[in-house]
Amino acid sequence: MAGTGSRGRAERRSAGELESEVLATLWATERPLTPAEIQAEIDGALAYNTVHTILKRLYDKGLVLRDAAGRRGAYRPAKNAAELTAEAMHEALDRGPDPIAALQQFVTGLSPEEERALRELLAGGGA
Amino acid sequence: MRFDVYTPLVLSLLLSVVAPPLARRGAPALAARVLTSAAVLTAAATTWSLVLLAAALLGHAPPLIREAREDGHPVTNPVPEAIGIAAGLALVAVAVRVYRAVRAERRTRRTLRRLCAGHPADTELIVAASEVPQAFAIPGRPGRILVTSAMLRALEPAERRVLLAHERAHLAHRHGPLVTAATLAAAADPLLGPVRRAVGFLVERWADEQAAATVGDRRIAARTLARAALTAGRARTACALHFTDRAVTRRIAALQTSPPPRLWSAAAAVLLLGTVSALLAADATGDLLRQLSGVLN
């Protein structure tokens, strides 16, 4: 029983991770995407059906919308909650002292010479 | 008592000296854990030492000393009155600093709750439709990952996977509480400031290593950091602050070499520092109690 339970959890978590990946892809691309395009974008590691299932789940949660104006079967991200979050974030950043500064942010500031070095790294691909 | 009660201060300094090189050279998971544990132990010992020094003032109370002399107890209170008073004042400062740190922590949590509002409870990724490139993990149950649309647009698909894996590592290994513990320790004992900064750097390195392992490519992980930092840097030039601790550059450099070794002996030494300060504080407590009971009986 315990084994089944933990496997169930693991599967749920990885479904959650896939949802994040599909949602991130839709937000990163500035136009609506079909399941096939999403599948190609996430380097084809996912089965078409899986992408479809994840999109349906995201749709049920109200996180993505079917693109009514454009192509059939294309999806775009729902903006409402994301805009509210952005507002709350800007408000927090402006108010100071910055409550987010205490968090583990992905990246922090750069000096001009660091910036140059990083540009070279990206251009050369010689990481 | 003389040694015991002052040594935690010396040990805090020592810990602050060894923290930065350990953060640069050791495997981040082990280093972050031992540095935080040692910092918490040392901060507790330092604070307790201040309590003892202040409490030793009791031994100066004239009736007690007179009684003790009459009883033939030698009164050798090793704590000069001025130091006892200074310790009392330092304790007040510690209380204020810890109170402020706790308040800042609660403010951050309140803000984070607001950021999650309106998003389904069972969703890991929260996107903010913002032009500020930003990404961070939101601790909690379940933990969430907040990324702005500007950051997502700036990254390539494999790089987005690195970013998500990095933030997931923060949540899975509970880096939030770890950093909070180090922050509170440094609030109680300002000498531990460099340890707090080392822990902050180490949890990022830890998450970087996890992300690199998840995507199976250290070069992509390094590239992700570079691109994210450049994107964030461009957006921030308006501030023209140019403040930098070179953290991102050092993280990228670390990903360009092989994973660092677990420095077990250095880790053991750091833990020993923390344990010694705790033991000495306990020993000093015994001394003070003996002294006071000697005076009182």
Side-chain angles (χ1 to χ4, degrees):
Chain A
M1 263 330 269
T4 320
S6 76
R7 212 186 62 197
R9 251 198 314 282
E11 276 165 11
R12 243 195 329 276
R13 187 172 62 228
S14 79
E17 291 179 8
L18 293 177
E19 276 180 34
S20 301
E21 202 158 324
V22 169
L23 190 59
T25 306
L26 281 172
W27 273 99
T29 324
E30 284 168 88
R31 56 191 185 83
L33 294 178
T34 62
E37 287 167 330
I38 292 171
Q39 189 193 11
E41 181 83 356
I42 321 181
D43 71 16
L46 287 181
Y48 179 87
N49 280 344
T50 312
V51 176
H52 199 83
T53 310
I54 294 166
L55 278 169
K56 182 163 184 327
R57 205 172 299 150
L58 288 171
Y59 179 80
D60 290 342
K61 288 185 184 180
L63 291 169
V64 302
L65 304 171
R66 293 206 171 99
D67 189 39
R71 295 167 301 158
R72 254 177 69 85
Y75 289 83
R76 58 189 170 82
K79 303 257 156 116
N80 288 355
E83 275 161 4
L84 284 179
T85 301
E87 256 171 59
M89 190 184 88
H90 293 156
E91 211 176 282
L93 290 174
D94 292 342
R95 194 158 6 99
D98 180 1
I100 294 168
L103 294 174
Q104 293 83 59
Q105 295 185 33
F106 190 50
V107 288
T108 49
L110 289 178
S111 73
E113 75 259 33
E114 282 176 292
E115 201 170 320
R116 229 174 358 257
L118 294 191
R119 255 177 235 299
E120 274 165 28
L121 186 147
L122 285 181
Chain B
M1 160 122 178
R2 183 174 292 250
F3 279 136
D4 296 359
V5 90
Y6 299 109
T7 332
L9 293 173
V10 178
L11 291 176
S12 314
L13 281 175
L14 215 52
L15 205 53
S16 290
V17 171
V18 299
L22 185 60
R24 276 196 299 275
R25 295 200 198 114
L30 179 65
R33 286 194 179 116
V34 294
L35 280 175
T36 306
S37 315
V40 168
L41 282 173
T42 307
T46 310
T47 309
W48 185 239
S49 297
L50 290 176
V51 171
L52 292 181
L53 285 170
L57 281 178
L58 289 177
H60 284 288
L64 291 183
I65 291 175
R66 197 175 341 104
E67 264 177 52
R69 291 222 176 94
E70 281 162 11
D71 293 352
H73 290 295
V75 177
T76 52
N77 196 330
V79 183
E81 203 170 4
I83 289 193
I85 291 170
L89 292 176
L91 265 183
V92 174
V94 165
V96 170
R97 284 175 56 97
V98 170
Y99 169 73
R100 283 201 187 133
V102 170
R103 207 177 47 180
E105 181 72 26
R106 293 174 63 168
R107 194 169 48 224
T108 301
R109 283 206 198 144
R110 251 197 325 272
T111 305
L112 293 180
R113 263 201 303 279
R114 241 191 340 264
L115 293 181
C116 297
H119 293 265
D122 56 346
T123 307
E124 180 193 43
L125 177 68
I126 291 182
V127 178
S130 165
E131 291 312 304
V132 182
Q134 177 73 274
F136 49 83
I138 301 180
R141 274 180 217 151
R144 308 284 195 84
I145 298 169
L146 188 145
V147 187
T148 62
S149 48
M151 181 65 92
L152 289 173
R153 275 203 307 274
L155 301 178
E156 289 173 7
E159 296 169 348
R160 291 198 294 270
R161 224 164 13 247
V162 171
L163 169 63
L164 291 177
H166 173 104
E167 302 303 343
R168 254 174 225 139
H170 280 320
L171 297 173
H173 298 286
R174 306 179 58 75
H175 289 169
L178 198 71
V179 172
T180 303
T183 304
L184 290 178
D189 180 351
L191 296 174
L192 294 173
V195 182
R196 156 71 184 83
R197 282 189 290 281
V199 170
F201 174 73
L202 281 166
V203 295
E204 294 307 327
R205 281 278 305 118
W206 183 345
D208 289 346
E209 289 292 338
Q210 287 272 309
T214 305
V215 298
D217 189 335
R218 300 175 73 76
R219 291 186 349 177
I220 292 180
R223 216 175 59 206
T224 308
L225 281 183
R227 203 182 307 279
L230 283 173
T231 310
R234 248 197 307 283
R236 258 176 232 165
T237 41
C239 315
L241 258 173
H242 289 316
F243 164 78
T244 166
D245 49 6
R246 301 193 165 273
V248 180
T249 315
R250 281 194 281 139
R251 283 164 59 195
I252 292 170
L255 284 170
Q256 287 172 312
T257 61
S258 42
R262 288 199 183 80
L263 301 176
W264 286 109
S265 47
V270 165
L271 266 190
L272 191 69
L273 282 182
T275 314
V276 164
S277 56
L279 287 178
L280 289 178
D283 193 36
T285 312
D287 281 357
L288 178 80
L289 288 180
R290 258 194 306 285
Q291 197 134 29
L292 284 182
S293 65
V295 170
L296 289 170
N297 293 333

